[in-house]
């Protein structure tokens, strides 16, 4: 269902003690994707990001840098703004907690908590981690009084402090969670939050006297406010709240709006426990949802300056293209789960899903349209919603066309649903299913043969269907890859989405709206291939030598889980003829007749998917020119993304007895060559008909 409420999405406001890195980019890009999606739906949308500039951590960092805190935080704002620009993130507002507009409203919120009777003065004595800017109980600490997050010693704090009566909110929070079952996502994390609260909450110290870098407590400026109370308030202060009459606050924090806080799992407790408690105390409704995504490691390791794997986003965007980076982050790391940023995986997805998948689709289609139809979009097969069937060249609106249209509808529906559920990776899965479908459609309809046979009517229908599918794709990929989506549209001869009417829902819904007569313009490839030389150049420019990761990957491939030459018979997993350790001695001679007993055929891969619970196997449906496709299992999952294989021709051993693997039947074997660098599935140079004998 189309979203209709005003949509407010936020990122955490980042500490300015360091420059932005790929982890910050992950949250910000996710929020940007959601904002862009809602804008395409014509829904009033507001996207907020910003900076957390107060607190002991920042005060100390400024000192280390030999600067006054304000001068230091001022100098750190630009790198964040620039990073979001480079990454095509489009916040509507960028809030800094040192801005007067924010400080005034934090003080208003404090006053509300005080008026509610929830603030009292007391003495605090406990542990504090400056890295987390958070109090720690003895129970939470690791041996040697180390913070469990930062693994650094915590500090003993003993001072007068104001407290917030958090303990009084245990029941109210549990009731709130009960009545708002999707308040925290993913559900597993919500359970963790609930168990934490069920154990009972302690009052929270919300002021400090031992340093000055914070918002003064109203009426007692000996104290500055606890940095998390200050920081969390940014989500409403940026709207002009809690002053109820502020127009943005009314529009985006009202009951009629949806508010989504995107945060990393590290700061969920602050957002899912403290923040709603403060708001309930102030008589303000908590937000609709807090979405806690997982943690990114880099090439298998925690990001840190000392490990030399602290990744600023800009050089990556420059090396691979901003859109490819955005795509990779959103697709390569499942939202909600921890995941690894891997340069190798980025290149593999770039070449496979972007280059071979989408880029190749556009290129194939526009080349055929240029060569055979003068580059012009042919007439739509649908006239006034009725399927037109011209008969001169045979049926011109066939089952295949109908299926493609249905698949497009399905992709638009599914991707929208996943975006509304804040799951950008699943949305991309749905979109790429359509990319594979469209590539398979071209293989099956063979427009080049239609052109050769002069079947121009049918050719027109086929080209129209796939051009229209590309138009749909250009909209669906726009939230993720706005620049490449516009480049795709330029080649299709369409108006830029950036120039659309902003309050109109442009999410694709009606197949057949691409105007006939539109002049297309075949341009440069959307995603030029990164070959080995280019990859080496990029890796060198990023300071990755003969990288650790390749070593790690090849270790994994050679390890016990790897497909091997004999794997097909020994592990009963990979149905693939591959050679693990070349050079292998040649086999003894055999007779020609013996060779001819092996029935090798050209097969066309119609679909490919991972086999559940198997690290190695892909389940392929392969057209061998028989009545129906054959199901063949191949141990190539570590080497190919399933989507990249769809539409490819391969060589199949067609007369092996069927075998069962992981509960599935395999009806043949796909040929591949394997050396120490990698594994390549064999493919004929010419697009021979499926079923053609190979000899
Ligand atoms: O916590 N993987 O700021 P912060 C994934 N100022 N996400 C990551 C990440 C990683 N490796 N590293 C950082 C703060 N992030 C507070 C927030 S909000 C009112 C105050 C992302 O600079 C992730 O969103 O430490 C995480 O929650 C956030 O950056 C922490 O940023």
């Amino acid at each position: 269902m189309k979203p209709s409420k005003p949509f407010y999405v936020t990122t955490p406001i980042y500490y300015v003690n360091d420059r932005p890195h790929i982890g910050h980019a992950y949250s910000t890009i996710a929020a940007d994707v959601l904002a862009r999606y809602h804008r395409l739906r014509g829904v009033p949308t507001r996207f907020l990001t910003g900076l957390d500039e107060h607190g002991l951590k920042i005060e100390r960092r400024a000192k280390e840098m030999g600067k006054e805190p304000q001068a230091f935080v001022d100098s750190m704002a630009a790198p964040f703004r620039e990073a979001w620009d480079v990454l095509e993130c489009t916040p509507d507002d960028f809030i800094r907690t040192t801005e007067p507009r924010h400080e005034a409203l934090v003080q208003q919120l404090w006053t509300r908590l005080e008026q509610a009777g929830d603030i009292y003065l007391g003495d605090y004595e406990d542990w504090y981690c400056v890295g987390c800017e958070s109090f720690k109980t003895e129970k939470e600490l690791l041996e040697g009084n180390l913070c469990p997050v930062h693994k650094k010693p915590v500090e003993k704090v003993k001072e007068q402090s104001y407290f917030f009566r958090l303990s009084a909110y245990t029941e109210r929070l549990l009731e709130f969670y009960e009545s708002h079952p999707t308040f925290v996502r993913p559900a597993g994390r919500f359970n963790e939050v609930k168990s934490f609260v069920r154990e009972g909450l302690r009052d929270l110290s919300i002021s400090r006297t031992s340093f000055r870098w914070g918002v003064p407590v109203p009426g007692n400026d000996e104290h500055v406010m606890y940095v998390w109370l200050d920081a969390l308030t940014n989500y409403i202060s940026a709207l002009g709240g809690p002053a109820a009459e502020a127009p943005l606050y009314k529009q985006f924090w009202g009951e009629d709006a949806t508010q989504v806080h995107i945060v990393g799992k590290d700061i969920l407790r602050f957002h899912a426990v403290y923040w709603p408690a403060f708001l309930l105390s102030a008589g303000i409704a908590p937000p609709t949802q807090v979405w806690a995504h997982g943690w990114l490691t880099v090439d298998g390791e925690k990001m840190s300056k000392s490990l030399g794997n602290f990744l600023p986003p800009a050089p990556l965007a420059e090396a691979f293209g901003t859109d490819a980076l955005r795509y990779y982050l959103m697709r390569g790391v499942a939202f909600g789960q921890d995941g690894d940023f891997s340069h190798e995986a980025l290149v593999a997805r770039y070449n496979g899903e972007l280059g071979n998948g989408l880029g190749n689709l556009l290129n194939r289609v526009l080349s055929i349209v240029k060569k055979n139809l003068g580059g012009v979009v042919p007439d739509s097969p649908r006239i006034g919603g009725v399927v037109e069937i011209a008969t001169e060249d045979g049926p011109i609106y066939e089952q295949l066309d109908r299926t493609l249209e249905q698949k497009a509808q399905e992709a638009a529906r599914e991707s929208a649903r996943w975006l509304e559920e804040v799951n950008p990776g699943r949305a991309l899965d749905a979109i790429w299913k359509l990319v594979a479908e469209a590539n398979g459609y071209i293989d099956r309809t063979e427009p080049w043969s239609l052109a050769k046979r002069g079947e121009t009517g049918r050719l027109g229908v086929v080209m129209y269907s796939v051009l229209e599918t590309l138009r749909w794709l250009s909209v669906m990929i726009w939230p993720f890859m706005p620049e490449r989506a516009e480049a795709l549209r330029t080649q299709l001869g369409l108006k830029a989405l950036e120039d659309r009417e902003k309050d109109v829902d442009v999410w694709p819904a009606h197949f057949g709206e691409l105007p006939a007569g539109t002049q297309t313009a075949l341009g440069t490839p959307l995603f030029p291939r990164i070959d080995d030389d280019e990859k080496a150049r990029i890796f060198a420019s990023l300071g990755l030598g003969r990288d650790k990761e390749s070593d790690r990957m090849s270790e994994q491939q050679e390890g016990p889980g790897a497909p091997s030459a004999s794997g097909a018979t020994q592990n009963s997993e990979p149905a693939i003829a591959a050679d693990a350790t070349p050079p292998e001695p040649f086999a003894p001679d055999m007779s020609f007749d013996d060779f001819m007993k092996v029935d090798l055929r050209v097969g066309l891969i119609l679909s490919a998917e991972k086999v559940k619970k198997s690290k190695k196997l892909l389940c392929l449906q392969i057209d061998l020119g028989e009545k129906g496709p054959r199901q063949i299992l191949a141990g190539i999952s570590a080497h190919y993304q399933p989507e990249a294989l769809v539409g490819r021709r391969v060589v199949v051993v067609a007369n092996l007895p069927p075998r069962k693997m992981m509960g599935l039947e395999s009806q043949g074997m796909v040929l591949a060559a394997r050396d120490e660098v990698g594994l390549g599935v064999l493919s004929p140079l010419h697009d021979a008909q499926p079923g053609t004998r190979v000899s």
Side-chain angles (χ1 to χ4, degrees):
M1 226 189 33
K2 168 184 163 21
S4 52
K5 296 170 162 191
F7 180 72
Y8 183 42
V9 62
T10 65
T11 71
I13 49 170
Y14 305 110
Y15 287 129
V16 289
N17 59 318
D18 238 323
R19 291 175 169 256
H21 59 61
I22 203 74
H24 303 125
Y26 185 61
S27 314
T28 312
I29 291 171
D32 187 63
V33 166
L34 298 180
R36 285 176 178 272
Y37 165 72
H38 283 85
R39 291 184 195 131
L40 283 185
R41 306 295 327 237
V43 169
T45 301
R46 195 145 185 98
F47 165 21
L48 173 71
T49 188
L51 299 176
D52 193 349
E53 303 188 332
H54 286 133
L56 189 53
K57 173 151 76 176
I58 308 294
E59 191 182 82
R60 285 189 182 163
R61 183 86 177 123
K63 209 168 191 178
E64 277 167 32
M65 304 297 287
K67 289 193 175 174
E68 281 304 310
Q70 189 64 53
F72 170 68
V73 299
D74 287 346
S75 73
M76 292 304 288
F80 280 88
R81 285 185 196 273
E82 281 159 18
W84 307 152
D85 270 356
V86 168
L87 295 176
E88 294 173 278
C89 293
T90 48
D92 298 289
D93 195 358
F94 186 94
I95 189 153
R96 298 177 49 192
T97 53
T98 52
E99 289 177 75
R101 64 164 172 159
H102 171 75
E103 295 190 353
L105 294 173
V106 179
Q107 290 185 324
Q108 276 186 28
L109 186 75
W110 177 285
T111 308
R112 285 201 186 203
L113 306 186
E114 204 167 30
Q115 284 166 353
D118 283 331
I119 292 183
Y120 64 91
L121 193 60
D123 287 307
Y124 185 81
E125 182 173 358
D126 217 335
W127 302 99
Y128 192 78
C129 169
V130 182
C132 297
E133 291 284 16
S134 173
F135 300 99
K136 303 279 167 186
T137 59
E138 200 95 23
K139 208 169 81 184
E140 287 173 280
L141 301 181
L142 303 178
E143 219 179 287
N145 289 343
L146 302 185
C147 160
V149 180
H150 290 88
K151 315 277 186 297
K152 290 197 178 140
V154 291
E155 299 174 15
K156 189 84 176 185
V157 171
K158 185 171 187 228
E159 59 191 47
Q160 197 188 45
S161 167
Y162 285 99
F163 284 83
F164 174 73
R165 264 184 234 285
L166 187 61
S167 58
Y169 282 84
T170 307
E171 283 313 312
R172 279 188 71 187
L173 280 172
L174 290 172
E175 279 164 24
F176 172 75
Y177 299 152
E178 193 64 31
S179 55
H180 296 82
T182 57
F183 174 60
V184 174
R185 276 286 174 265
R189 297 230 178 275
F190 201 4
N191 291 337
E192 288 166 21
V193 167
K194 287 183 206 162
S195 337
F196 172 76
V197 174
R198 261 188 227 114
E199 279 182 21
L201 297 168
R202 293 194 317 161
D203 288 350
L204 184 68
S205 160
I206 52 166
S207 76
R208 302 289 301 271
T209 52
S210 52
F211 67 91
R212 301 302 315 142
W213 190 236
V215 181
V217 165
N220 186 354
D221 53 16
E222 294 282 288
H223 291 246
V224 293
M225 279 186 217
Y226 175 40
V227 64
W228 271 101
L229 172 57
D230 167 1
L232 287 161
T233 309
N234 90 91
Y235 300 129
I236 56 172
S237 70
L239 299 174
E245 66 285 357
L248 284 173
Y249 182 73
K250 257 165 97 177
Q251 184 178 18
F252 290 102
W253 206 272
E255 265 185 25
D256 291 340
T258 302
Q259 305 88 24
V260 178
H261 296 321
I262 302 288
V263 300
K265 64 177 186 179
D266 55 320
I267 55 174
L268 179 58
R269 187 183 297 178
F270 301 96
H271 285 80
V273 181
Y274 301 167
W275 181 224
F278 296 151
L279 290 171
L280 290 171
S281 165
I284 297 173
T288 318
Q289 194 164 73
V290 178
W291 228 105
H293 63 66
W295 206 243
L296 275 189
T297 51
V298 171
D299 295 341
E301 295 181 88
K302 191 171 187 296
M303 228 185 313
S304 88
K305 286 229 166 108
S306 52
L307 288 172
N309 65 352
F310 181 94
L311 285 188
L316 289 167
E318 193 176 327
F320 297 103
T322 292
D323 283 8
L325 177 63
R326 286 172 63 106
Y327 172 86
Y328 171 70
L329 284 173
M330 292 298 100
R331 185 129 197 233
V333 182
F335 214 63
Q337 289 165 28
D338 293 346
D340 193 40
F341 181 99
S342 138
H343 297 82
E344 288 283 354
L346 200 169
V347 173
R349 283 191 184 266
Y350 176 98
N351 280 335
E353 293 154 9
L354 297 179
N356 289 344
L358 181 61
N360 197 29
L361 174 66
L362 178 71
N363 215 276
R364 290 169 92 186
V365 173
L366 290 190
S367 308
I368 299 169
V369 172
K370 184 174 175 193
K371 190 164 162 211
N372 301 290
L373 303 169
V376 175
V377 175
D379 274 340
S380 159
R382 296 201 137 200
I383 309 233
V386 179
V387 178
E388 187 204 16
I389 304 181
T391 50
E392 219 172 280
D393 302 329
I396 70 164
Y397 203 90
E398 287 191 339
Q399 191 53 42
L400 285 175
D401 316 332
R402 257 187 268 276
T403 304
L404 182 63
E405 178 179 336
Q406 279 160 9
K407 296 288 176 185
Q409 298 279 7
E410 208 173 285
R413 238 186 357 255
E414 286 283 289
S415 55
R417 186 169 69 79
W418 285 118
L419 284 169
E420 276 141 47
E421 290 188 16
V422 191
N423 206 323
R426 299 301 288 272
L428 281 171
D429 290 345
I431 298 169
W432 251 256
K433 245 185 177 171
L434 180 59
V435 171
E437 222 23 84
N439 269 318
Y441 172 82
I442 297 184
D443 291 325
R444 271 165 256 150
T445 51
E446 300 192 346
W448 48 89
S449 309
L450 296 173
K452 219 192 239 159
R453 294 200 295 270
E455 295 180 28
T456 43
R458 175 80 192 127
L459 176 67
V461 173
V462 167
M463 286 296 98
Y464 186 89
S465 300
V466 78
L467 284 163
E468 172 66 344
T469 303
L470 276 163
R471 182 182 74 83
W472 280 44
L473 285 167
S474 76
V475 184
M476 289 187 253
I477 66 166
W478 189 85
F480 300 91
M481 297 189 284
E483 193 272 327
R484 291 291 78 192
E486 300 289 19
L488 196 165
R489 291 177 70 83
T490 306
Q491 296 203 27
L492 289 178
L494 297 171
K495 205 171 97 176
L497 278 171
E498 205 48 65
D499 301 334
R500 72 194 187 280
E501 274 178 60
K502 296 283 156 45
D503 52 357
V504 174
D505 179 7
V506 296
W507 199 250
H510 305 289
F511 203 84
E513 286 185 349
L514 174 66
T518 304
Q519 181 67 50
T520 66
L522 175 63
T524 49
L526 281 186
F527 303 99
R529 190 168 177 77
I530 301 179
D531 60 19
D532 286 349
D533 288 347
E534 177 64 1
K535 184 173 120 183
R537 194 195 61 72
I538 292 177
F539 278 27
S541 77
L542 293 171
L544 304 160
R546 159 97 180 93
D547 61 308
K548 275 185 295 191
E549 190 188 358
S550 304
D551 296 344
R552 199 161 51 85
M553 281 181 70
S554 47
E555 261 165 43
Q556 279 168 4
Q557 284 159 15
E558 306 301 329
S564 68
S566 49
T569 45
Q570 284 182 356
N571 310 341
S572 79
E573 263 234 355
I576 186 153
D579 192 346
T581 47
E584 194 187 324
F586 290 102
D589 289 349
M590 65 170 171
S591 70
F592 185 72
D593 287 349
D594 277 347
F595 168 64
M596 287 310 283
K597 283 185 200 154
V598 184
D599 194 351
L600 298 174
R601 301 288 174 136
V602 172
L604 172 66
I605 301 183
L606 302 179
S607 73
E609 44 188 56
K610 294 197 164 157
V611 171
K612 272 197 199 126
K613 296 201 183 132
S614 166
K615 280 196 194 134
K616 305 174 202 166
L617 287 179
L618 286 186
C619 179
L620 310 169
Q621 298 297 329
I622 301 187
D623 180 0
L624 290 185
E626 300 164 300
K627 251 192 191 156
R630 284 209 197 184
Q631 172 166 292
I632 296 181
L633 304 181
I636 54 176
S637 184
H639 306 271
Y640 290 94
Q641 290 302 324
E643 298 84 349
L645 289 169
V646 176
R648 290 299 183 97
R649 281 173 167 75
V650 291
V651 179
V652 171
V653 185
N655 60 339
L656 284 170
R659 318 188 316 102
K660 272 219 157 163
M661 284 179 267
M662 309 291 286
L664 294 170
E665 186 171 280
S666 182
Q667 300 156 338
M669 181 191 280
V670 173
L671 293 189
R674 176 178 167 85
D675 61 13
E676 70 276 6
V677 176
L679 177 146
V681 168
L682 298 193
S683 191
L685 287 179
H686 147 75
D687 278 352
Q689 288 291 337
T692 305
R693 179 111 198 220
V694 178
S695 56

